[in-house]
Amino acid sequence: MNYIYQDILIENGDVVLDAGRNPVLIQDSAVIAQDIKHAIIESGLSVALIGEKSRDGRADLKKQIELLVEEETRLVPGTVTLEEPTLGNIWIFAKTREFGDLQFEVKEVTN
């Protein structure tokens, strides 16, 4: 098949391997979601959100995450929304330019 985007699947900071010990490949919208997840985690905003206790501070951090996601050029501008159903679990909803709706969870891994 022809894909626009392809990458190796990363979970919890590690390459995911299949039963044959080969890297699992992801395509298209999954690549976009993974790139956004990594941008959020690498920005440190998700850790800051977990540590922030004030409602105003949390709202500000959520807005910063939303703006960071909006910078992704493969998304339709203005379609990004963010939900945090439980502390440390952020759901991102957006529309991609090529693949339609996108939704995924960002969990901050703390060691």
Side-chain angles (χ1 to χ4, degrees):
M1 292 194 77
N2 292 337
Y3 303 107
I4 296 174
Y5 311 108
Q6 188 163 311
D7 201 353
I8 295 171
L9 178 60
I10 307 290
E11 288 182 351
N12 300 321
D14 292 323
V15 174
V16 176
L17 303 176
D18 65 15
R21 310 246 338 126
N22 299 303
V24 173
L25 298 177
I26 56 173
Q27 295 80 28
D28 297 334
S29 61
V31 173
I32 296 170
Q34 179 170 274
D35 290 348
I36 294 169
K37 282 183 193 181
H38 291 161
I40 292 168
I41 292 168
E42 291 167 9
S43 73
L45 291 171
S46 57
V47 172
L49 185 62
I50 291 170
E52 181 59 55
K53 301 300 179 215
S54 79
R55 189 169 69 168
D56 290 341
R58 294 181 64 72
D60 180 56
L61 287 165
K62 288 177 189 177
K63 181 52 83 176
Q64 289 180 51
I65 292 170
E66 185 177 322
L67 292 172
L68 175 67
V69 175
E70 282 280 355
E71 291 177 8
E72 173 56 62
T73 59
R74 297 171 287 185
L75 297 180
V76 175
T79 64
V80 175
T81 58
L82 180 143
E83 293 181 15
E84 186 188 23
T86 60
L87 186 65
N89 294 324
I90 304 165
W91 278 91
I92 305 291
F93 301 89
K95 185 176 292 283
T96 65
R97 293 181 187 273
E98 294 101 351
F99 312 110
D101 293 338
L102 180 69
Q103 64 181 21
F104 58 93
E105 183 180 26
V106 178
K107 288 185 182 182
E108 181 58 48
V109 179
T110 54
N111 295 331

